[in-house]
Structure formats: C-alpha cells, structure tokens
C-alpha cells in the first residue's frame, strides 16, 4: 500500500478519531472521580447499622465441669474354673454362609428354684450330619450357689440339636417353674419346665413357627394384661443356603465373604397370645405387628433384638425392635390387643443422620435416674452405638450417644450384645458392649478392624461430669479380644455384684466374675405373684440417699439373651432404703418396707 492512496488516508482518519475518543473518555473519568471525592467530603457521616446475626451452635460441652476417673474394677475369667466347657458350633465349612456369623444366645435362669442363677447356652450345629462326632446340643449348667457349675443337660431333657439362635425364659403356665423358648433357623422349641425336667410342648402349644423362618430374638410378656405371659418372636431375613450362595457376596481382597442383610428380603415377626390352657394363638395380623412395604408388599423387618418396655407409662407394655440395615420398629401398645408401628414418629427408626443402621443388641433403662428413658442399640462396625433418650420423660427420642460420651468410643467396634447394669453398685446404671466382627480375615482389607475385639465397659459418671459415660480401659480379663455375640449378667456367687457371660461365634463361651471392691451397698429383689410364679413386667422404684432409681422386671435384654430375673440396685454409700414401691403388671401399687441392705428380698404381690 503506497503513501497518499485513499486507503492510507482512511487509516489516518480512523487514528485521529480513536485518539479523540480516548481523550474524551479520560476526561469523563477524571470528572467522575472528582465528583465522587467532593460528594464523600460533603456528605453527613452516618455509622453503618449493625445487624445482629443469629448464633447457631452445636451442643454445649461444659469445659468447666469436673473430670472423674472410673473406679478400679477387675473382671476375672473363671470359665474353666467354674466348670463351663461350652463351645459354640456354627457349622462353618468354608462357604461363608450368613447364619455362621450370627452366633447364638445365652440365658441366666433359676430352673430348679434353689434361688441361684443357672446358665443355659444355645448351640447351633453342622450343615450335614457327622456320624463320627456327637451332635451339638443346648447346654444347661446348674449353679451350686457359689459360682461353680455342673452340666445337667442330659439329666434335664435339654440335649436338643438344632441350628439354635436365641432364648427367652418365663413361667408361661404360672406353675412356679421357669420355662424356656428356643429360636432357631427353622422351627422353634417351647420347653415346659416340669419341676426341673424340660418337656417339649411346641406342637401342643402351636408356637413352632415355620420351617422357612429364621427366628432370632424372643420375649415373654403380658401384652394384653390378662395375667399370663404371651410370646413375641422376632424374625430376621428370608434365607436359604441356595439364596446365600447365589448372591455370592464378595469383598475385594478376600473373595467370598459373609453376605450383608441388605441383600436378603426381610421378614415379619410373630406374636402369640397365651390362651391360658397351654395353647397359644398366632395373633400377628390382628395385633398389627405385620409391617409390609406399601409399594412392594414385601416384609420390612430384619429383627435381631427386642426390648419390651412401657415407654409412655400408660400401663401397656410396648416393643422396641432392633432391625439390621432397615429402620427400627416401635410397636406402641394401644391397649385393645393391637399395636401401631411408630418408630419413625417417635425418633428411634434411624440414626442421627437419618440412616438405618446395622442394629444388633438392644436394651432399655432409666440410666439418668430421672423419668427419661434410654434405648441403647449396638450397631455395625464404623457406626457408633445409638442411645435414644426421651426429653423430660416424653417422646420423641433423640440420639444422644455423642452428648453422653460413649458414642465416639463405640464407633469402630462391631457390637452385638449390649446392656445397662450397675457394675460398681454406686446407684447409676453403666453400659456394657460385647464386640466382634463377622469376617475372620477382615484385618486384611480393613486395618482398623479385627475379628476378635475387646468388649467395652462404660462407667456412668452422673450428671456433674463432662461426659456421663466414661470408657473403662482397665477391666482385667474383660478386655480380652473375643468374637463376642450374646451377653448377659447375673450374680452367680451371691456377693451382690453382677457377673457377665459372653458367647462367641464358633468359639468357647466366657464367664467373667466381677471382683469390684468399691465397698458400695446393694439390695437385690426377687418377685413372685403370690402363688409362687415369677413375675415379668413389674415396675420398681427405689429411693435411697435422695436418689430414685427405676427398673423394669424384664429378663429380655441385649442380643439373643436373657439376664437374671432378680433386680439389683446399687446403693453407693447409703445404708438404708427410704422407699421401695412396686407397680405390679395388673396396676396394683405396693410399698415394701426394707429393714436392711446388702441382702436379697423376695417380694410377693399382695392378694
């Protein structure tokens, strides 16, 4: 392009225009800046209005609260010395079927009416016969009153072989002898206690269930207040060996593994009404305990544990059911023979994050010595245990496991058995958890996990502590790693404190003697209905030292287990009981005088 051409002239004109535009723009910006400065200097200075923001805070932890150390306690493994040689058989032969990991139950009961606590252990069996070996059976051990046991299984008619699961105890025929119900993978057993000899009356009583059932938790209770014991049976999942192998559950690094319950269809529980003549009627549908999904029509429950307790104190016992990987149930007793399932409404269906947990063991207790009821639930590994608590004695429940201190310490453990008890007799209910994984090689793929796990004992420090439940790290033999499953307590040696039994999956049961030396006082109460029959369902309130403790006479606690029927109250330093009140299952209220402590009192209902 040459100089003086039209194209060159056009380029020069555009350059002049651009220069003029930029000069004008700069002049405008200068004027705007000067104007802004003059406006700022001339305006009236006004302080900005402060807006008070809402302060949203989490739970307040009182850092000024005193810290306390749990009292020294030693639990001693006396299994061999006490004569307990029970070994659980789960039938494992390398296929890794889910029933092999569940374990089996245990019960303390006074089967021979000699006022000490005997021990019944439930066994499973092999998947196929082994003629060269004796078949595994239930095991009943008679207590000599000093914590030494002898095997009386054959002599009492209890050499029964089944793929056993759980146990319930209760005098269903009110003849003064405690009867036994055994749940199984298959048909269940009702064993009537005939003066120390057990007779299989399942067929007559019509409480076997179906061969296709997998029954777990069970409890005797008087749900209709007609003065005899009815029977609730919890069922787990729809299972067969073929279904299990077809699902073929796998863990990377391990290959085939124990199947998770969310791969199986749920089941419904059963409720049997005691007709009073040795017969029971299946009233599950009429009573409203059948819970099906409204869309699929399939059963929603996968029950492993049950806690019977009158949570709203209306005189009718309710049922809390711990379900594995699906929502927990609360069957509210309407008082007319029917229940309504309101677990979600009352806040116990899901954890604090709104999720269903791998719920196993369960217990209910007034652990604060107030009107607040707590429901403790042991959950799967990496799910902290739950502690649902009422507010001022009223539902709904809120999960306060973290606030009460034991939640974080329970997170890694896979918890089965769980119960409240006063191990140091200070008048406050402590908390025990039996732990153990499903997979024997879990540590290969999850370094934080192990197959055998130590149990956990949490001391109840009371209201004036930063954390109510404090993990007790020095417990003697109780801290040994176990493949823990069922757990129960009783005073086996008549010294006033509570000892512990724990079952293991495919291993030996363990019996731990409580050797605490706190010097605290205690009172133990046994209950009968005036005709010699033991009582289930009575409510007890004891006041000593200005503190009122509350208990429910109920052996069904923990996981597949039954604790002793007598009720133990720790009294701490108190040497007298100010008031003892019994509310019997029929609503009668009776005040009992207590002349001395550190003893067992048998309380009979006034006729």
């Amino acid at each position: 392009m040459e100089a003086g051409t039209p194209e060159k002239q056009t380029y020069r004109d555009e350059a002049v225009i651009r220069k003029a535009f930029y000069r004008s723009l700069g002049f405008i910006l200068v004027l705007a800046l000067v104007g802004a400065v003059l406006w700022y200097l001339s305006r009236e200075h006004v302080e900005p209005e402060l807006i008070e923001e809402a302060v949203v805070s989490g739970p307040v932890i009182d850092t000024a609260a005193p810290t306390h150390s749990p009292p020294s306690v030693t639990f001693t493994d006396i299994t061999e010395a006490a004569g307990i040689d029970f070994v659980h058989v789960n039938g494992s032969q390398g296929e890794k079927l889910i029933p092999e990991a569940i374990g089996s139950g245990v019960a303390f009961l006074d089967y021979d009416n000699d006022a000490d606590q005997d021990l019944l252990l439930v066994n499973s069996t092999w998947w196929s016969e082994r003629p060269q070996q004796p078949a595994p059976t239930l095991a009943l051990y008679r207590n000599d009153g000093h914590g030494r046991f002898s095997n009386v299984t054959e002599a009492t008619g209890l050499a029964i072989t089944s793929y056993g699961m759980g146990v319930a105890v209760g005098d269903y025929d009110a003849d003064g002898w405690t009867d036994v119900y055994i749940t199984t993978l298959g048909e269940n057993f009702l064993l009537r206690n005939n003066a120390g000899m057990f007779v299989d009356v399942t067929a007559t009583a019509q409480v076997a269930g179906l061969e296709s059932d997998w029954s777990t938790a069970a409890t005797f209770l008087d749900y209709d207040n007609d003065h005899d014991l009815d029977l609730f049976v919890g069922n787990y999942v729809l299972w067969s060996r073929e279904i299990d192998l077809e699902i073929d559950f796998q863990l990377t690094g391990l290959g085939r593994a124990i199947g998770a319950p969310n791969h199986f269809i749920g089941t419904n529980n059963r409720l049997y009404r005691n007709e009073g003549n040795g017969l029971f009627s299946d009233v599950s549908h009429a009573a409203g305990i059948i819970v099906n999904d409204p869309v699929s029509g399939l059963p929603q429950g996968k029950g492993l544990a049950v806690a019977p307790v009158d949570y709203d104190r209306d005189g009718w016992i309710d049922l809390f059911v711990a379900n594995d990987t699906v929502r927990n149930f609360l069957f509210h007793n309407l008082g007319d023979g029917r229940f309504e399932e309101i677990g979600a409404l009352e806040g116990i269906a899901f954890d604090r994050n709104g999720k269903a947990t791998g719920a196993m063991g369960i217990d209910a207790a007034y652990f604060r010595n107030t009107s607040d009821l707590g429901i403790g639930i042991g959950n799967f590994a990496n799910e902290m245990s739950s502690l649902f608590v009422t507010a001022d004695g009223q539902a709904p429940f809120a999960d306060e496991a973290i606030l009460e201190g034991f939640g974080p310490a329970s997170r890694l453990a896979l918890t089965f058995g769980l119960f409240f008890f006063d191990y140091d007799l200070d008048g406050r209910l402590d908390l025990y958890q039996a732990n153990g994984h499903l997979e024997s090689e879990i540590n290969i793929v999850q370094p934080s996990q192990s197959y055998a796990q130590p149990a956990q004992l949490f001391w109840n420090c009371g209201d004036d502590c930063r954390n109510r439940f404090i993990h007790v790290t020095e417990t003697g033999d109780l801290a040994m790693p176990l493949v823990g499953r069922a757990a129960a307590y009783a005073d086996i040696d008549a010294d006033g404190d509570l000892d512990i039994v724990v079952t293991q999956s495919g291993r030996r049961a363990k019996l731990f003697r409580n050797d605490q030396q706190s010097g605290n006082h205690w009172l133990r109460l046994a209950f009968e209905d005036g005709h010699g029959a033991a009582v289930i369902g009575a409510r007890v309130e004891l006041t000593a030292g200005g503190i009122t403790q509350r208990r429910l006479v109920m052996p069904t606690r923990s996981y597949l287990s039954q604790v002793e029927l007598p009720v133990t109250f720790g009294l701490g330093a108190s040497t007298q009981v100010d008031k003892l009140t019994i509310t019997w299952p029929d609503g009668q209220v009776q005040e009992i005088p207590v002349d001395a402590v550190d003893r067992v009192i048998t309380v009979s209902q006034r006729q």
Side-chain angles (χ1 to χ4, degrees):
M1 183 181 300
E2 296 180 1
T5 64
E7 291 83 356
K8 186 70 171 178
Q9 184 63 43
T10 301
Y11 173 79
R12 289 173 177 171
D13 293 343
E14 290 177 352
V16 172
I17 294 171
R18 283 198 300 271
K19 185 181 291 187
F21 171 75
Y22 288 131
R23 285 178 177 174
S24 299
L25 181 61
F27 181 70
I28 292 170
L29 290 175
V30 170
L31 289 177
L33 180 61
V34 172
V37 171
L38 292 174
W39 172 83
Y40 178 80
L41 294 174
S42 63
R43 72 180 179 87
E44 181 180 358
H45 185 66
V46 179
E47 291 290 340
E49 181 180 356
L50 296 178
I51 300 175
E52 184 176 354
E53 297 182 355
V55 177
V56 180
S57 61
V60 176
I61 299 176
D62 183 6
T63 57
T67 57
H68 297 268
S69 298
S72 175
V73 62
T74 299
F75 283 86
T76 305
D77 179 3
I78 61 167
T79 311
E80 184 175 349
I84 306 299
D85 57 1
F86 175 85
V87 179
H88 177 246
V89 173
N90 61 20
S92 175
Q93 51 191 16
E95 291 182 314
K96 293 200 171 183
L97 305 174
I98 188 171
E100 298 168 2
I102 294 300
S104 64
V106 63
F108 281 113
L109 74 161
D110 182 9
Y111 88 94
D112 53 359
N113 286 351
D114 65 353
D116 53 46
Q117 298 303 308
D118 310 301
L119 181 61
L120 175 64
L121 290 147
V122 181
N123 212 343
S124 302
T125 189
W126 302 296
W127 296 114
S128 57
E129 291 186 8
R130 297 186 180 183
Q132 73 279 12
Q133 293 179 267
T137 70
L138 299 173
L140 178 64
Y141 294 88
R142 183 179 183 274
N143 189 346
D144 69 356
H146 303 287
R148 292 183 294 273
F149 294 82
S150 55
N151 193 320
V152 294
T153 308
E154 291 279 353
T156 56
L158 286 182
I160 296 172
T161 298
S162 68
Y163 206 95
M165 287 284 130
V167 55
V169 301
D171 185 4
Y172 80 91
D173 54 358
D175 66 351
W177 296 85
T178 300
D179 310 300
V180 171
Y181 187 79
I182 303 294
T183 63
T184 78
L185 180 61
E187 293 186 349
N188 304 320
F189 296 88
L190 178 60
L191 306 167
R192 180 176 176 269
N193 188 342
N194 184 17
M197 282 290 298
F198 288 90
V199 180
D200 186 348
V201 295
T202 313
T204 302
Q206 301 179 9
V207 290
L210 302 177
E211 182 62 33
S212 59
D213 287 345
W214 182 354
S215 299
T216 51
T219 183
F220 286 104
L221 74 160
D222 184 7
Y223 83 91
D224 51 2
N225 287 355
D226 65 350
H227 311 297
D228 54 31
L229 291 178
D230 311 297
L231 177 63
F232 174 89
V233 181
N235 290 322
Y236 191 32
V237 296
L238 181 63
W239 183 90
S240 70
R241 179 176 176 273
E242 291 71 27
I243 294 173
D244 202 325
L245 293 175
E246 183 178 350
I247 291 174
D248 195 24
F249 187 74
Q250 300 278 325
L251 277 178
T252 302
L254 289 184
R256 178 162 172 83
I258 299 296
N262 53 13
H263 291 81
F264 296 85
I265 296 173
T267 57
N268 274 310
N269 306 304
R270 298 186 189 276
L271 181 63
Y272 297 99
R273 184 180 186 275
N274 191 339
E275 301 298 341
N277 55 2
L279 301 178
F280 289 79
S281 298
D282 187 339
V283 295
S284 307
H285 284 275
I289 66 162
I290 302 299
V291 182
N292 293 326
D293 184 90
V295 177
S296 68
L298 296 174
Q300 289 193 292
K302 297 180 182 181
L304 283 178
V306 59
V309 58
D310 179 10
Y311 83 97
D312 54 356
R313 300 188 302 280
D314 63 354
W316 301 89
I317 201 156
D318 311 295
L319 291 164
F320 292 80
V321 178
N323 284 316
D324 193 0
T325 70
V326 296
R327 63 186 174 93
N328 300 316
F329 293 157
L330 168 51
F331 291 107
H332 176 229
N333 194 333
L334 299 176
D336 58 0
R338 296 179 301 124
F339 292 81
E340 59 176 344
E341 199 291 294
I342 56 172
L345 178 67
E346 295 290 46
I348 63 98
F350 305 102
D351 70 5
R352 65 190 57 79
N353 298 316
K355 296 180 180 180
T357 61
M360 260 76 78
I362 189 170
D363 196 11
Y366 295 94
F367 66 92
R368 291 175 176 165
N369 288 337
T370 67
S371 59
D372 283 331
L373 176 66
I375 306 293
I377 297 179
N379 293 318
F380 200 76
N382 298 311
E383 297 175 339
M384 67 179 66
S385 296
S386 303
L387 182 55
F388 298 101
V389 189
T390 59
D392 297 324
Q394 300 295 318
F397 293 80
D399 189 348
E400 299 190 4
I402 294 177
L403 286 176
E404 293 292 10
F406 87 100
S410 70
R411 184 180 64 82
L412 285 179
L414 199 166
T415 299
F416 280 88
L418 175 149
F419 55 71
F420 296 92
F421 76 138
D422 186 359
Y423 80 86
D424 59 343
L425 303 175
D426 64 354
R428 298 186 297 268
L429 288 171
D430 312 300
L431 184 62
Y432 170 86
Q433 295 191 155
N435 304 320
H437 212 280
L438 306 182
E439 291 290 345
S440 59
E441 299 175 297
I442 190 63
N443 187 254
I444 296 175
V445 294
Q446 294 185 36
S448 64
Q449 292 294 319
S450 59
Y451 186 44
Q453 300 179 359
Q456 291 175 301
L457 180 65
F458 296 91
W459 176 58
N460 187 337
C461 185
D463 295 331
D464 63 343
C465 295
R466 187 176 305 168
N467 293 316
R468 177 181 299 275
F469 287 108
I470 298 175
H471 188 198
V472 186
T473 56
E474 300 294 332
T475 58
D477 294 335
L478 198 65
M480 69 171 59
L482 301 176
V483 186
R485 295 297 186 261
Y489 61 79
D491 180 9
I492 63 170
D493 47 8
D495 64 353
D497 57 30
L498 297 173
D499 312 292
I500 295 175
V501 65
V502 185
T503 69
Q504 300 191 80
S505 178
R507 298 185 178 186
R508 292 186 178 276
K510 290 290 184 179
L511 182 63
F512 298 98
R513 186 183 63 214
N514 186 342
D515 291 328
Q516 63 87 27
Q517 299 292 327
S518 66
N520 290 328
H521 299 285
W522 50 272
L523 185 70
R524 285 171 53 79
L525 305 173
F527 301 88
E528 60 179 40
D529 65 357
H531 303 287
V535 172
I536 287 178
R539 289 175 292 164
V540 190
E541 291 191 0
L542 179 147
T543 301
I547 302 296
T548 297
Q549 302 180 52
R550 296 167 174 84
R551 301 282 195 279
L552 176 69
V553 183
M554 177 56 65
T556 303
R557 300 179 187 275
S558 187
Y559 170 77
L560 306 180
S561 302
Q562 306 279 286
V563 304
E564 63 174 0
L565 264 175
V567 173
T568 296
F569 286 93
L571 303 177
S574 298
T575 57
Q576 66 178 30
V577 172
D578 302 318
K579 187 177 182 180
L580 177 63
T581 304
I582 316 296
T583 302
W584 298 95
D586 63 4
Q588 181 187 12
V589 178
Q590 187 173 349
E591 190 167 327
I592 307 297
V594 179
D595 298 327
V597 298
D598 299 334
R599 64 190 57 202
V600 181
I601 298 176
T602 298
V603 180
S604 296
Q605 184 172 6
R606 185 172 53 242
Q607 300 299 308

